Amino acid sequence: MNTMSPSISAEAGMLGKGAAVPVPDSQRKDTLMEDKPEDTVIEEGKTVGQPFTADPKFKLRNVDVSYGADRAIKNISLDIGRNEVIAFIGPSGCGKSTFLRCLNRMNDSIDICRVKGSLELDDQNIYDSKRDVVELRARVGMVFQKPNPFPKSIYDNVAYGPRIHGLANRKSELDDIVENSLRKAGLWNEAKDRLDSMATGMSGGQQQRLCIARAIAVSPEVILMDEPCSALDPIATARVEELIAEMSESYTIVIVTHSMQQAARVSNRTAYFHMGHLVEVNKTDTVFTSPQHPLTESYITGRFG
Ligand SMILES: Nc1ncnc2c1ncn2[C@@H]1O[C@H](COP(=O)(O)OP(=O)(O)OP(=O)(O)O)[C@@H](O)[C@H]1O
């Protein structure tokens, strides 16, 4: 786990002299583009760094995703290690969310979306036509950009999944699951005296931690997070990042983020996507201190984004 400080100056200090220091997220949009990254030729299917791991939870090979005639993911191969936190970064529209959503078949609901290649979770085909997608999504939970609690009580939000999956036989068992999930999501103290209140009355940060509790409640093995902090203030963001660090002991976590500081703080490995290609994957420190591909370097130093 990366323990870099949230502050940019501290982070830059840790990266060392001469390193490719990511510019602060707040300054990236103002940076002038000095070259034309869109003109860089990327060899399809070629990823530099270490895309494969010794103990993969997900084994993803030659994955192609299209929306109608448009290819959004181009021949990507990647392992996601058991109990690792991997961050997906890259410019807007490069395919991070599309690739993330393949991992629990969230793209199934998009009619024009076609997924090709081999995608395995624990050596079993995720896209097997006989696979129970509801069971898959219980194993591979998801937290979205915008907190999306159900318009129900705090208790019922967390109890929803365990109820539909039949995980508790008695009310006391359900109570235990709700309490444990809220504790793991760091929300128990704030929620314990208002379990019957509407979840929609909580702050944005609390709602996002409730969504994490809701995902945890069905005992997933993997948690997918699609920009989970983009609607949160810095304090709520820090709380969710702490939670990611705590959860990484028990779960495999894949996080899409636009914040390179966040990727540096929370992830073990970072994957850099560019126009549907997976350009580079490596240990997070390596990606941010000595990126191997010029496009990765241009992105993390703020030359485009
Ligand atoms: N439902 C959809 N229908 C058609 N095209 C889509 C759909 N979702 C995404 N795309 C296209 O697929 C490409 C990749 O989009 P995706 O959202 O995966 O990128 P991203 O890297 O997550 O972007 P962002 O950082 O802006 O969220 C884009 O060209 C996008 O327009």
Side-chain angles (χ1 to χ4, degrees), residues 1 6 23 34 50 77 115 127 131 136 178 181 194 217 221-222 263 271 283:
M1 178 61 46
V23 296
E34 293 161 7
Q50 297 181 346
S77 295
V115 178
Y127 279 83
R131 189 180 263 280
L136 172 70
V178 170
S181 306
R194 51 190 284 208
E221 296 152 40
V222 181
K283 286 192 179 136

Side-chain angles (χ1 to χ4, degrees), residues 67 72 90-99 101 110 112 227 256 258:
Y67 295 102
S92 189
C94 66
K96 306 175 295 290
S97 298
T98 296
F99 195 62
R101 291 196 306 255
I110 304 171
I112 58 169
E227 296 183 52
V256 170
H258 274 280

Side-chain angles (χ1 to χ4, degrees), residues 57 61 97 123 168-169 179 193 195 235 246 262 266 304:
K57 182 79 183 163
R61 296 290 181 271
S97 298
D123 297 321
N169 294 321
E179 178 174 340
D193 298 325
L195 292 174
I235 292 171
E246 286 160 23
Q262 180 165 73
V266 304
F304 65 94

Side-chain angles (χ1 to χ4, degrees), residues 63-65 71-76 94-96 98-99 273 276:
V63 178
D64 242 80
V65 185
R71 280 173 86 204
I73 293 294
K74 298 166 183 162
N75 194 8
I76 285 183
C94 66
K96 306 175 295 290
T98 296
F99 195 62
F273 290 73

Side-chain angles (χ1 to χ4, degrees), residues 196-225:
D196 293 329
S197 306
M198 285 294 278
T200 42
M202 302 174 104
S203 73
Q206 288 172 329
Q207 288 187 21
Q208 195 61 309
R209 279 181 281 139
L210 181 67
C211 293
I212 292 171
R214 190 174 65 187
I216 288 172
V218 291
S219 302
E221 296 152 40
V222 181
I223 303 178
L224 310 179
M225 301 182 133

